[in-house]
Amino acid sequence: MPTTLRWLGHACWSIETGGKTILLDPFLNDSPTAPVKADAVEADFILISHGHFDHVADAVSIAKRTGATVVSNYEIYEWLGKQGVEKLQPMNLGGAIELPFGRVKLTLAHHSSVLPDGTPGGNAGGFLLTLPDAKIYFACDTGLFYDMKLIGAVGLDLAVLPIGDRFTMGPDDAVEAVKLLAPKRVMPSHYNTWPLINQDAEAWATRVKAETKAQPIVVEPGGTITI
Ligand SMILES: [Zn+2]
């Protein structure tokens, strides 16, 4: 079965691969653009990139309802345990773990990380997923950094990059990120949720096509692609 990705608005993605459903950064009930509510999604695994509300808001409720295993940095792992989440996989930057669907590496990100109740959320990260049929990199919330060249050296089938600007990379730096990562395909994330991060994704895609070798793919919230 091929791997599919569905954008659930903002920075939330649902990945179906190898018979498992992986949810990244669940922010649904309070997201203006999410196509589904938190009680309508399934998950076997939940990946959390950092502690901000727009990435963890629905993680606890979905984990408790579905019994999903939550993968995060050590500080968020401790916080989730205190919220009563039972199945957890702690990590830290640069480390990787083997899960039933593939290998998950927690990669560098340049961003901050505080949990909704003020608890320090450790370092923000991104995720590199090595699946049997594809390598997918989620930069998650970050500014541009040159080490993206190293992440891309594994040969990425898909990169998912923030383009919203203000809190993360904007469209200009996201084009530079595509040049460093050299993925086959690239999708934008973390934009058009609120006016503060409104961007023209189609204009960005036109630039990606003109300036890089990657194929840009833009979907609306709820849209799905197959790898
Ligand atoms: Zn964010």
Side-chain angles (χ1 to χ4, degrees):
M1 231 168 49
T3 296
T4 63
L5 256 81
R6 185 175 184 220
W7 190 31
L8 299 183
H10 196 54
C12 181
W13 295 81
S14 175
I15 304 126
E16 303 270 347
T17 186
K20 303 286 183 201
T21 302
I22 304 145
L23 199 58
L24 171 64
D25 285 350
F27 171 58
L28 300 168
N29 285 352
D30 293 333
S31 165
T33 60
V36 287
K37 292 292 181 193
D39 61 7
V41 293
E42 289 309 317
D44 297 298
F45 293 88
I46 299 171
L47 311 183
I48 305 289
S49 67
H50 66 290
H52 293 156
F53 74 98
D54 57 319
H55 299 260
V56 303
D58 297 307
V60 171
S61 71
I62 296 170
K64 286 183 178 174
R65 177 177 56 78
T66 60
T69 299
V70 188
V71 180
S72 69
N73 72 24
Y74 196 84
E75 289 80 1
I76 295 171
Y77 153 83
E78 288 194 310
W79 182 82
L80 288 166
K82 286 179 187 154
Q83 316 298 311
V85 179
E86 290 176 353
K87 290 162 76 177
L88 295 160
Q89 285 279 359
M91 303 185 70
N92 214 328
L93 294 181
I97 56 174
E98 299 289 343
L99 292 172
F101 59 85
R103 186 172 172 86
V104 175
K105 186 172 186 181
L106 189 61
T107 57
L108 182 69
H110 288 300
H111 197 67
S112 55
S113 176
V114 174
L115 288 150
D117 62 4
T119 302
N123 289 310
F127 287 103
L128 174 63
L129 308 186
T130 304
L131 310 174
D133 58 352
K135 292 190 180 78
I136 306 175
Y137 169 57
F138 291 93
C140 301
D141 285 20
T142 186
L144 178 65
F145 56 96
Y146 197 75
D147 288 4
M148 285 182 172
K149 202 168 172 65
L150 290 173
I151 295 171
V154 301
L156 298 172
D157 296 285
L158 174 68
V160 179
L161 305 177
I163 66 160
D165 222 339
R166 184 179 291 267
F167 301 115
T168 67
M169 285 189 283
D172 291 347
D173 281 356
V175 171
E176 293 306 312
V178 176
K179 292 176 190 170
L180 293 171
L181 290 161
K184 285 188 191 138
R185 290 187 269 184
V186 62
M187 299 182 80
S189 185
H190 212 276
Y191 69 99
N192 287 2
T193 321
W194 302 284
L196 285 179
I197 54 171
N198 274 358
Q199 295 296 339
D200 183 343
E202 292 297 344
W204 178 77
T206 301
R207 283 192 55 196
V208 169
K209 244 183 246 167
E211 297 177 36
T212 79
K213 292 187 176 121
Q215 178 197 357
I217 302 170
V218 175
V219 295
E220 293 297 315
T224 298
I225 73 146
T226 299
I227 307 255

